[in-house]
Amino acid sequence: MLVTRNARRTTILTAVVFGILGFAGNWFGVPLVFNIHILFGSLFVMLALLLYGVPAGLLAAAIAGSYTLIFWHHPWLYLILLGEVLFVGRLLRRTRNIVLLDTGYWLAIGMPLVFLYSRFLLHAALPLAILMTLKQGINGIFNVLAAAFLLYLATLVPFFRQSRELPSPAMHQVLVIIMVAAILIQGTSFSLVNLHQKEAQEELQVERRLNACTGIARATIETWLNERIERLSTLATLVGDPARTPARQVQWYTELLNKTSPDFIATSIQNTKAVSVAFSPALDTAGHSNIGKDYSRHPYRQLLEKTLLPVVSDIDYGLVTRTPRLALFTPIVINGKFRGYCAGIVDTARLARLLRIVAQNRAVDISLLDRKGQVIASTDPAMPIMKHLEPRRGGEFHWLANAVYEVVPAAGVNPLYRAQEARFGMDSPLNAAVPWTIVVSMPMKQYQNTLYHDASRWLALVFILVIFAVAVAQAASAAIVKPVVELDRISATVTGDLTLHPTVVWPTSGIREISRLIGTVRQMTTTLRGNIQELQSLNESLEQRVAEQTAELRQSEQKFRAIFKEAGIGIILADEQRRIIHCNRAMERILDYPRNELVGRQIAEISHPADEEATVRRIHEAISRGEHVFRMEKRYFRRDGSTLWGNLTVTTLESMNGLQGYTIDMVEDVTERKRAGEEIRRLNEGLEQRVQERTAQLEAANRELEAFNYSVSHDLRAPLRHLNGFSRMLEEECADKLDEADREILHRISRAAVKMDNLVDALLNLSRMTLNKINLLPVNLSDLAREIFADFVKSQPERRVRVEIEDGIVVQADPELMRAVLDNLLSNARKYTAREAAARIEFGMRETDGRRVYFVRDNGVGFEMDYAGKLFKPFQRLHREEDFPGIGIGLATVQRIIRRHGGEVWAEGKTGSGATFYFTLAGGKSAV
């Protein structure tokens, strides 16, 4: 048993090593044609199959084939290699001619599968799909040819013969290998040489096309710019010195140029101080005059004065046009001195139309970039104006000849997608005066299709010659080795045949050595007959013992089936290949599959590919660590194609006889729980976006509020002080002339002024609470509430109030703002319990729906809930001021502070039964 287990571990380890080598063989593939490589992964997979059998071959194929699953996100190589191992492995029992079997696999299954997969699932173009099909077939045959050659070469080395029993090659197998190798190696080498020559020729054609388009585009852009600069220069000549030419005449020249030159969106004249003296249009979009504006900070003004030469700007966002703009500047020079400059904002759409004319019928895209790399104009509709473009980024970059480069989408995605999305490009400066860049790019599809057609023709010829070589080798070897093969077949099955058919038809041969071998085997059969009869007797006794043990196992199985069938969670019994052996009713209900459709399926068929790969990996890790149980979350597919999430518990049965590699998967459906979590995450993402938008709006509102506060604090207080002061002066100086009614009027004026002053103070305080920066620190609300009540007692020692404050309430908040919150809430509670003989005020915290809610509760006069909406509005009162004095701003201040902390505040109450004010803070967690 120990020997068997060690042998199994050795087989698994060797298969893993071959799989890793196969993965590396795929990684270091040889390029055939653009982004199409010859891979060597199946070479090591076939070695694992030939040396250790189908299970080892499947394990090696799974590891080597994961290359496309990991880097291309497609399992096609994974499936093809597994199919190759299964097909060849099954038929190896009939013949050891692996080259013949593998050729049959690719011809009948592999190549059609590759074509269907690449054409209809990966959406490859027809030439590419044909090339992939031919390449993969020849690649697979080449790899199995190399594997067979290495294996047969190893039989000549004594070390390998002693360490493992290796099958000796048959003569017809050697003949097939030699003929196929002669055709395949020479044909493939010749094809590679011709394809590389063709590739060089096509790259030269691409270079010529890009150079031609770049030259035409450069000439077109320079002509267009020179014409517009010349018109501005003419305007500068007509205007002369802006300081001496009448302003009306300067404006008339400016408007005339703007009307006669449709390419100009706006034109202007600036004096030496960069102040506009003429502008067309004269008004901006807001109706304000464009004349008289100061452009002294404009970055191009100093350059104009220094060089006295025209300047072209970068693309930017225009303050006048409110759109992306491109500005041209020409200096006004009189007697060699700078006297101002003319500016013109041009329509880049006309420049884009010129580029489209150049690119028309040339199958290229042309983009014009400014000094900063921003798009000025482009023929690509997906390329917006002012986008920062780096044409050499976004994938793998390769220089070709003479400034031509190619950009291929980043590695790690489907190589067919990379091939179809690759582009050629060329970046060229416009000229020395205008440091812009012309970017010309073209898709590589036409270039690729030409190469794909040529490669397909060469590979098709090579494949036909390989098929011909296999057929000729088979026909030539059949006549020589047929008697030996027949004798080998009889020898392998002679024991069974002798028991059923005592008479055996022996082959004959005219070759002396073969004839002697046949005679020897015939003599052996006579001896075997007696041995076979004895074995049959022993078998009968053994069968009886097996029947007795089977009855005992059946009883145990019935108990297990009852538990398995009625379990509340889904259970799957899977073999070492992750094929479903059995499942219970709960699993049928979860996946909405009848049992007969689940049994026999691979678990991968009903699982998300990435999750099943992770499950298999975890199984291997658990077995290697000696663990038997692990848990994970995993996605499954229901019968209708919908996805469900399950909590998966996997138990490995590695230690049980006969069930090595088997697993028990227990699945609990947690789809609704996951869906709720995803919904919360989606809502949070939307909320973050709305918070950003609201933050921008609030910042603008805060700036307006600051201006309003300044006005209130300086413009309203002075009249109030005057009212209060004059009323007191009138009362003091005319005391002997005023009666009681007059004095009452003066007192009312004074009280109104004082009240108005208090309202101004309250508004300013409310504003400061909104605008001040929040400084988050740990704040002990319990201690803060006790300090506030201590101040109340000092101010009114005669009041008797029962106060209950919960201990240990600590939050992350701004200390000063939280003092204002508690001061307002506790002051209100104290005020509205003034008429209660047994007044009671409580401050505490409670847990509600997973968050912490803080509250202030009193047994005062309360309020009607119908009017609760008015509580937190400034100056809104639910009680008369004569009964409960106040200005109605405290709760509004509380609401703003709580909202600034990301929380909520609300109130509940009833007339005559008191009120409770609740609030929350962001996070809802106490500080430590």
Side-chain angles (χ1 to χ4, degrees):
M1 182 65 183
L2 182 61
V3 175
T4 303
R5 183 175 299 175
N6 291 335
R8 185 182 301 110
R9 289 178 179 175
T10 302
T11 299
I12 293 174
L13 179 61
T14 307
V16 170
V17 172
F18 278 122
I20 295 173
L21 291 174
F23 189 95
N26 292 330
W27 181 285
F28 297 103
V30 176
L32 174 65
V33 70
F34 179 82
N35 217 35
I36 305 298
H37 293 73
I38 297 175
L39 308 178
F40 301 102
S42 62
L43 187 155
F44 300 97
V45 173
M46 290 296 107
L47 284 175
L49 171 65
L50 291 172
L51 290 173
Y52 295 96
V54 174
L58 290 174
L59 179 57
I63 298 173
S66 63
Y67 174 80
T68 58
L69 192 63
I70 294 173
F71 295 103
W72 302 346
H73 308 296
H74 281 288
W76 70 275
L77 184 59
Y78 187 88
L79 299 176
I80 288 172
L81 288 182
L82 290 177
E84 185 177 13
V85 170
L86 288 173
F87 182 89
V88 176
R90 296 265 183 182
L91 295 180
L92 275 176
R93 302 171 184 175
R94 300 183 180 181
T95 175
R96 298 293 297 180
N97 194 340
I98 190 172
V99 176
L100 176 64
L101 295 178
D102 199 66
T103 302
Y105 166 76
W106 285 108
L107 190 62
I109 299 176
M111 293 176 66
L113 184 62
V114 171
F115 179 81
L116 293 174
Y117 195 91
S118 58
R119 177 62 174 157
F120 298 105
L121 292 182
L122 301 183
H123 306 292
L126 182 60
L128 180 56
I130 294 174
L131 175 59
M132 287 292 295
T133 302
L134 291 169
K135 190 279 301 185
Q136 198 64 39
I138 294 176
N139 197 167
I141 296 173
F142 176 84
N143 287 340
V144 79
L145 184 70
F149 177 76
L150 291 175
L151 184 62
Y152 299 151
L153 189 64
T155 60
L156 305 177
V157 180
F159 172 77
F160 289 105
R161 287 203 308 267
Q162 294 174 2
S163 61
R164 183 170 184 83
E165 184 178 353
L166 298 177
S168 300
M171 184 172 59
H172 68 282
Q173 296 172 11
V174 175
L175 185 60
V176 170
I177 290 173
I178 293 174
M179 293 189 66
V180 173
I183 296 295
L184 191 58
I185 294 174
Q186 295 185 46
T188 304
S189 302
F190 186 75
S191 300
L192 287 173
V193 172
N194 281 274
L195 286 174
H196 290 163
Q197 292 177 351
K198 183 66 176 180
E199 190 173 9
Q201 295 173 1
E202 291 297 319
E203 287 179 358
L204 181 61
Q205 293 295 328
V206 169
E207 178 189 346
R208 292 174 179 172
R209 180 187 295 184
L210 293 179
N211 274 320
C213 291
T214 301
I216 297 173
R218 180 183 293 109
T220 302
I221 296 168
E222 288 177 342
T223 302
W224 187 85
L225 285 175
N226 291 336
E227 290 177 354
R228 276 72 200 163
I229 293 174
E230 183 64 30
R231 292 181 185 180
L232 287 178
S233 299
T234 302
L235 176 61
T237 303
L238 291 174
V239 170
D241 190 348
R244 297 183 179 181
T245 305
R248 183 175 298 178
Q249 185 175 357
V250 175
Q251 180 66 22
W252 185 81
Y253 284 141
T254 304
E255 292 179 351
L256 178 62
L257 175 63
N258 206 42
K259 292 178 181 179
T260 57
S261 301
D263 287 351
F264 286 104
I265 300 174
T267 53
S268 62
I269 305 293
Q270 279 75 25
N271 58 22
T272 55
K273 296 181 179 180
V275 177
S276 60
V277 298
F279 213 109
S280 177
L283 301 179
D284 60 16
T285 55
H288 301 144
S289 174
N290 287 322
I291 299 174
K293 291 187 176 180
D294 186 359
Y295 294 92
S296 59
R297 294 185 178 181
H298 203 286
Y300 301 102
R301 185 254 184 192
Q302 293 83 357
L303 185 62
L304 286 166
E305 185 175 1
K306 179 180 180 180
T307 62
L308 300 180
L309 295 173
V311 175
V312 181
S313 76
D314 292 329
I315 192 77
D316 63 0
Y317 190 77
L319 297 177
V320 176
T321 60
R322 303 294 181 184
T323 58
R325 70 171 187 179
L326 181 66
L328 308 180
F329 306 94
T330 57
I332 300 175
V333 182
I334 299 177
N335 297 326
K337 294 184 178 181
F338 178 76
R339 306 304 302 165
Y341 62 92
C342 301
I345 300 174
V346 296
D347 184 5
T348 58
R350 293 179 177 267
L351 192 57
R353 285 195 290 271
L354 290 176
L355 294 180
R356 281 195 288 271
I357 293 173
V358 174
Q360 190 175 12
N361 299 326
R362 289 184 172 90
V364 298
D365 282 321
I366 304 176
S367 298
L368 183 61
L369 311 182
D370 64 10
R371 300 170 180 83
K372 302 176 183 178
Q374 301 178 109
V375 176
I376 300 173
S378 178
T379 61
D380 187 355
M383 193 68 63
I385 302 297
M386 294 187 68
K387 177 181 179 181
H388 191 271
L389 177 63
E390 296 186 35
R392 302 176 190 175
R393 291 192 177 182
E396 294 182 4
F397 174 81
H398 306 285
W399 279 109
L400 300 179
N402 299 327
V404 178
Y405 58 84
E406 64 180 17
V407 178
V408 184
V413 298
N414 175 12
L416 304 187
Y417 169 81
R418 297 181 68 206
Q420 297 181 60
E421 295 299 320
R423 300 180 67 85
F424 287 115
M426 174 182 284
D427 303 346
S428 301
L430 181 62
N431 54 45
V434 183
W436 290 352
T437 303
I438 302 172
V439 179
V440 181
S441 65
M442 61 176 290
M444 300 179 67
K445 289 183 179 179
Q446 182 179 355
Y447 160 85
Q448 293 166 356
N449 288 339
T450 301
L451 295 179
Y452 292 161
H453 281 298
D454 286 354
S456 297
R457 285 195 294 269
W458 285 107
L459 293 184
L461 178 59
V462 172
F463 188 76
I464 292 172
L465 292 176
V466 168
I467 299 300
F468 176 75
V470 171
V472 171
Q474 284 295 111
S477 63
I480 300 174
V481 301
K482 184 177 180 180
V484 179
V485 172
E486 182 64 19
L487 181 61
D488 181 63
R489 184 190 64 80
I490 294 174
S491 300
T493 59
V494 66
T495 303
D497 287 343
L498 286 175
T499 58
L500 299 176
H501 306 285
T503 302
V504 178
V505 179
W506 297 95
T508 58
S509 175
I511 301 175
R512 182 175 57 187
E513 290 80 1
I514 297 176
S515 179
R516 287 180 179 178
L517 177 62
I518 294 172
T520 302
V521 174
R522 291 182 65 177
Q523 291 177 2
M524 291 173 56
T525 57
T526 303
T527 304
L528 287 174
R529 283 195 182 97
N531 295 336
I532 291 172
Q533 291 175 358
E534 183 179 354
L535 287 174
Q536 286 176 342
S537 176
L538 293 174
N539 283 338
E540 291 174 359
S541 175
L542 181 61
E543 287 175 358
Q544 182 178 357
R545 294 175 59 187
V546 168
E548 294 173 355
Q549 294 182 0
T550 301
E552 296 176 1
L553 290 174
R554 187 176 294 111
Q555 294 179 358
S556 177
E557 181 183 1
Q558 289 174 354
K559 295 178 182 179
F560 171 75
R561 286 183 179 275
I563 298 173
F564 184 88
K565 184 177 181 181
E566 302 301 330
I569 62 174
I571 303 176
I572 292 176
L573 176 63
D575 63 12
E576 70 277 3
Q577 299 176 4
R578 298 291 288 164
R579 186 184 296 109
I580 298 175
I581 305 301
H582 195 35
C583 65
N584 66 348
R585 291 178 179 175
M587 199 68 220
E588 297 176 34
R589 182 179 65 256
I590 291 173
L591 297 178
D592 194 24
Y593 273 100
R595 181 177 178 277
N596 59 345
E597 293 187 17
L598 284 175
V599 174
R601 282 194 174 199
Q602 295 282 344
I603 294 182
E605 298 179 30
I606 58 172
S607 304
H608 192 281
D611 292 355
E612 177 60 15
E613 180 186 351
T615 305
V616 174
R617 185 169 60 253
R618 291 285 300 276
I619 291 173
H620 293 324
E621 292 174 356
I623 293 174
S624 64
R625 292 195 298 263
E627 300 175 358
H628 299 292
V629 179
F630 67 86
R631 295 173 178 83
M632 63 181 290
E633 284 192 346
K634 182 179 177 182
R635 289 164 287 182
Y636 292 89
F637 298 127
R638 294 190 181 94
R639 191 179 189 184
D640 58 4
S642 61
T643 302
L644 68 88
W645 279 93
N647 267 340
L648 172 63
T649 301
V650 178
T651 302
T652 63
L653 305 180
E654 183 69 17
S655 62
M656 296 187 180
N657 294 331
L659 295 178
Q660 285 82 356
Y662 280 44
T663 58
I664 296 177
D665 293 14
M666 291 180 285
V667 182
E668 179 187 0
D669 189 354
V670 294
T671 304
E672 292 303 322
R673 189 189 311 166
K674 294 289 289 186
R675 186 176 293 116
E678 285 296 319
E679 181 64 18
I680 291 172
R681 184 189 62 77
R682 185 186 64 79
L683 292 175
N684 286 338
E685 292 176 352
L687 180 60
E688 290 176 359
Q689 177 65 28
R690 291 196 296 273
V691 166
Q692 292 176 0
E693 296 172 357
R694 288 291 296 160
T695 300
Q697 297 173 3
L698 288 175
E699 289 176 353
N702 286 340
R703 290 193 291 270
E704 296 176 2
L705 186 57
E706 289 176 355
F708 173 76
N709 291 340
Y710 183 88
S711 174
V712 168
S713 62
H714 292 79
D715 298 339
L716 293 184
R717 284 178 182 261
L720 293 176
R721 288 194 297 270
H722 293 163
L723 281 174
N724 195 18
F726 286 138
S727 63
R728 290 183 179 179
M729 290 174 59
L730 184 61
E731 183 179 5
E732 293 172 358
E733 294 178 4
C734 303
D736 55 341
K737 299 178 183 181
L738 300 175
D739 55 17
E740 288 300 323
D742 296 332
R743 289 189 181 93
E744 180 62 24
I745 291 173
L746 290 176
H747 289 163
R748 288 185 178 181
I749 292 172
S750 179
R751 288 195 300 271
V754 171
K755 182 177 180 180
M756 188 63 184
D757 190 67
N758 290 337
L759 288 175
V760 170
D761 285 336
L763 284 173
L764 292 176
N765 186 47
L766 177 62
S767 173
R768 283 193 295 273
M769 292 300 178
T770 304
L771 298 177
N772 288 346
K773 181 179 178 181
I774 293 179
N775 184 21
L776 295 179
L777 295 171
V779 180
N780 192 316
L781 298 184
S782 302
D783 293 344
L784 196 58
R786 291 190 181 94
E787 294 174 9
I788 294 171
F789 269 114
D791 294 337
F792 290 166
V793 172
K794 292 178 182 178
S795 63
Q796 287 185 327
E798 71 278 6
R799 283 285 306 273
R800 292 294 179 264
V801 180
R802 179 184 173 187
V803 178
E804 297 179 5
I805 300 175
E806 184 176 342
D807 291 328
I809 301 178
V810 182
V811 298
Q812 284 285 344
D814 187 287
E816 294 301 321
L817 295 182
M818 290 312 298
R819 175 178 286 276
V821 169
L822 290 183
D823 188 66
N824 279 288
L825 293 178
L826 295 173
S827 295
N828 275 359
R830 183 167 169 270
K831 177 171 60 177
Y832 290 111
T833 57
R835 299 180 181 180
E836 297 294 325
R840 181 172 56 84
I841 300 174
E842 179 184 1
F843 171 67
M845 177 193 73
R846 71 184 187 187
E847 293 279 347
T848 303
D849 296 331
R851 63 175 182 171
R852 294 187 174 183
V853 180
Y854 312 92
F855 63 87
V856 174
R857 182 181 292 117
D858 64 71
N859 63 341
V861 297
F863 60 90
E864 290 292 339
M865 286 298 292
D866 293 341
Y867 304 103
K870 297 182 178 181
L871 285 173
F872 300 100
K873 296 181 179 178
F875 310 116
Q876 295 289 328
R877 299 176 52 84
L878 301 186
H879 304 88
R880 296 189 308 166
E881 185 175 358
E882 293 80 3
D883 298 332
F884 301 95
I887 58 176
I889 204 72
L891 290 179
T893 302
V894 169
Q895 185 185 55
R896 293 198 178 187
I897 293 174
I898 293 302
R899 285 182 176 175
R900 291 198 68 198
H901 281 77
E904 302 174 75
V905 61
W906 68 95
E908 296 176 359
K910 184 177 181 182
T911 303
S913 300
T916 304
F917 288 81
Y918 300 91
F919 66 91
T920 63
L921 299 174
K925 295 181 179 179
S926 296
V928 179

